[in-house]
């Protein structure tokens, strides 16, 4: 950074508007309806008031337990109900997880996110995962887990282990939710989020676009996220990765500008949250990703695999950052 441009976060402290928790559907829909340039302009303004505009946080994912999940999430290759040709894998050994975390750190990731295909962790499995969290933290990485539903007691155990973030998505609007998942309710998801919040663990919560939902559903998802008692620190916006064999494999393409609009509205409504351009980058052009950064996305998954599906190669992302003058958050 040049000496003449102090970080936006320092210069703007005194005029940062507080995050609102009283968004109305009509207001969110009006945001999404704005002319594209007006929406992006507003998102850029908010982004620059709260963040260093050319910094992006990078996290690496690892699936620590793959497949055979009893849930029926219509987008997910890991559900036992769909034949997706996925190779199942039971819980990884600590040493395998540590080796992957070391590789992620060497590539430049600052957060390591471990995901398991469970409806909810069993207490015995949780103990093994706690050992993973402690060991990954000892490498100097931030830790994130996504293990399904958590009880208050399990969330407290994870806090004591030093977990930094817990990811649990609302996925879509309450109205569209039933078309995607039947084995767990929206209320169940909100309860897990409450347990994570009460345990004082940072919340990572977002959703998936391109599942056949309407614009009002994208508005409905953002409304739920922004109106939580405390907004999530991290908001992953995933583009559906269509996996053959899942019920949503034949979903229609979402207009890419709709994706950018949703990122921009998320930035405006959750000004202090990291908005993560998450799954789906493998099928996005560099130009579309650049528009997402312009709209206020400031975090990505980095490394050539998400949980079970491909992500752009790390050297491609490094080159993209260079071309756009973006540096990874340290
Ligand atoms: N089993 C746990 C749960 O669902 O709570 C954690 C792992 S789950 C794979 C984490 C998140 O990944 C899901 O909530 C969903 O938002 C996202 N996801 C899964 N499959 C996806 C796909 N095909 N495309 C985009 N996002 C997906
Ligand atoms: C999130 O919102 N997206 C990530 C992370 N949280 C766990 C997962 C994306 C999974 C994409 C499909 C797969 O690779 O299995
Ligand atoms: Fe299971 Fe999570 Fe996949 Fe749903 S998203 S089927 S809970 S692994």
């Amino acid at each position: 950074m040049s000496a003449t441009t102090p970080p936006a976060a320092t210069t703007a402290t005194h005029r940062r508007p507080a995050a609102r928790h009283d968004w109305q559907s009509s207001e969110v829909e009006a945001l999404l309806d704005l002319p594209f340039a007006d929406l992006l302009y507003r998102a850029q303004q908010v982004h620059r008031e709260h963040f260093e505009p050319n910094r992006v946080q990078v996290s690496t994912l690892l699936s620590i337990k793959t497949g055979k999940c009893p849930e029926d999430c219509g987008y997910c290759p890991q559900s036992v109900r769909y034949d997706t040709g996925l190779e199942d894998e039971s819980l990884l050994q600590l040493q395998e997880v540590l080796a992957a975390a070391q590789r992620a750190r060497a590539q430049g990731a600052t957060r390591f996110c471990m995901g398991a295909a469970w409806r909810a962790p069993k207490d015995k499995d949780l103990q093994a995962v706690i050992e993973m969290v402690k060991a990954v933290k000892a490498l100097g990485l931030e830790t994130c887990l996504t293990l399904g539903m958590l009880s208050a007691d399990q969330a407290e155990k994870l806090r004591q282990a030093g977990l930094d973030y817990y990811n649990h998505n609302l996925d879509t609007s309450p109205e569209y939710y039933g078309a995607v998942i039947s084995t767990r309710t929206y209320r169940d998801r909100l309860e897990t989020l409450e347990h994570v919040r009460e345990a004082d663990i940072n919340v990572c919560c977002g959703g998936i676009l391109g599942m056949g939902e309407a614009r009002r559903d994208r508005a409905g998802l953002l409304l739920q996220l922004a109106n939580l008692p405390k907004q999530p620190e991290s908001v992953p916006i995933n583009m559906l990765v269509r996996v053959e064999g899942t019920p949503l494999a034949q979903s229609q393409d979402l207009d890419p500008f709709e994706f950018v609009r949703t990122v921009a509205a998320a930035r405006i409504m959750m000004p202090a949250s990291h908005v993560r351009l998450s799954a789906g980058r493998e099928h996005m052009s560099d130009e579309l990703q650049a528009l997402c950064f312009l709209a206020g996305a400031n975090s990505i998954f980095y490394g050539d695999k998400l949980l079970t599906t491909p992500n752009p190669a790390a050297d491609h992302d490094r080159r993209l950052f260079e071309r756009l003058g973006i540096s990874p958050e340290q």
Side-chain angles (χ1 to χ4, degrees):
M1 196 191 312
S2 87
T4 49
T5 47
T10 319
T11 49
T13 321
H14 59 286
R15 56 189 163 84
R16 271 184 201 171
R20 285 180 49 196
H21 300 268
D22 59 351
W23 287 90
Q24 305 295 311
S25 312
S26 55
E27 287 177 288
V28 188
E29 286 173 31
L31 262 187
L32 290 174
D33 287 345
L34 281 173
F36 190 73
D38 293 348
L39 177 58
L40 257 67
Y41 179 66
R42 279 190 55 184
Q44 253 299 296
Q45 283 180 312
V46 173
H47 191 50
R48 284 168 185 269
E49 281 167 13
H50 291 81
F51 288 99
E52 164 61 44
N54 302 304
R55 282 272 149 90
V56 170
Q57 192 279 332
V58 294
S59 299
T60 293
L61 277 168
L62 176 70
S63 180
I64 57 170
K65 187 268 171 185
T66 307
K68 288 214 178 105
C69 181
E71 303 277 327
D72 71 349
C73 311
Y75 46 76
C76 186
Q78 304 203 64
S79 167
V80 72
R81 297 160 195 246
Y82 317 135
D83 184 6
T84 60
L86 184 72
E87 262 196 45
D88 303 321
E89 200 157 1
S90 49
L91 189 61
L92 295 184
Q93 296 295 314
L94 178 61
Q95 286 314 318
E96 297 173 271
V97 174
L98 264 182
Q102 271 157 340
R103 282 194 297 274
R105 189 182 61 173
Q107 292 268 27
T110 56
R111 190 177 308 158
F112 193 65
C113 308
M114 295 163 270
W118 288 322
R119 171 175 167 79
K122 296 194 186 78
D123 285 341
K124 176 175 118 313
D125 289 330
L126 194 73
Q127 203 41 53
V129 173
I130 281 174
E131 298 311 318
M132 295 173 188
V133 169
K134 289 183 179 161
V136 170
K137 255 185 107 73
L139 295 176
L141 284 161
E142 288 184 316
T143 50
C144 175
L145 289 175
T146 180
L147 313 174
M149 296 191 281
L150 284 190
S151 67
D153 179 56
Q154 289 177 320
E156 180 53 28
K157 287 197 175 106
L158 290 173
R159 186 198 65 80
Q160 284 169 12
L163 178 68
D164 297 296
Y165 288 80
Y166 195 81
N167 165 248
H168 197 66
N169 290 339
L170 289 174
D171 281 347
T172 188
S173 68
E175 295 75 21
Y176 195 63
Y177 184 84
V180 181
I181 299 145
S182 79
T183 48
R184 94 169 46 142
T185 65
Y186 214 79
R187 183 69 236 151
D188 289 333
R189 290 184 186 253
L190 290 167
E191 266 172 29
T192 290
L193 293 170
E194 279 166 27
H195 296 153
V196 174
R197 226 351 134 215
E198 278 161 19
D200 219 9
I201 297 168
N202 289 312
V203 172
C204 172
C205 182
I208 309 178
L209 312 186
M211 300 194 294
E213 77 287 345
R215 185 182 272 184
R216 68 175 171 282
D217 296 306
R218 293 186 279 280
L221 168 67
L222 294 179
L223 179 107
Q224 290 291 322
L225 295 168
N227 286 352
L228 286 168
K230 188 171 177 206
Q231 296 184 344
E233 281 74 16
S234 169
V235 179
I237 308 288
N238 296 277
M239 179 76 106
L240 174 68
V241 179
R242 287 176 293 203
V243 180
E244 216 43 66
T246 61
L248 291 177
Q250 313 309 328
S251 303
Q252 295 289 304
D253 267 343
L254 177 71
D255 174 358
F257 294 133
E258 257 326 283
F259 189 90
V260 182
R261 281 176 180 280
T262 311
V263 169
R267 164 52 62 229
I268 293 166
M269 296 168 68
M270 293 172 276
S273 305
H274 274 79
V275 175
R276 185 188 312 270
L277 170 55
S278 301
R281 290 197 303 115
E282 172 82 343
H283 299 290
M284 289 181 192
S285 67
D286 290 344
E287 295 85 345
L288 174 56
Q289 295 184 56
L291 275 179
C292 292
F293 295 131
L294 194 63
N298 60 348
S299 169
I300 58 163
F301 286 122
Y302 182 63
D304 39 12
K305 206 167 171 200
L306 292 164
L307 288 172
T308 67
T309 64
N311 196 42
D315 55 358
H316 184 97
D317 282 341
R318 268 197 295 273
R319 178 82 196 103
L320 178 60
F321 276 18
E322 265 170 38
R323 289 164 71 206
L324 299 177
I326 289 174
S327 10
E329 253 179 39
Q330 291 309 308

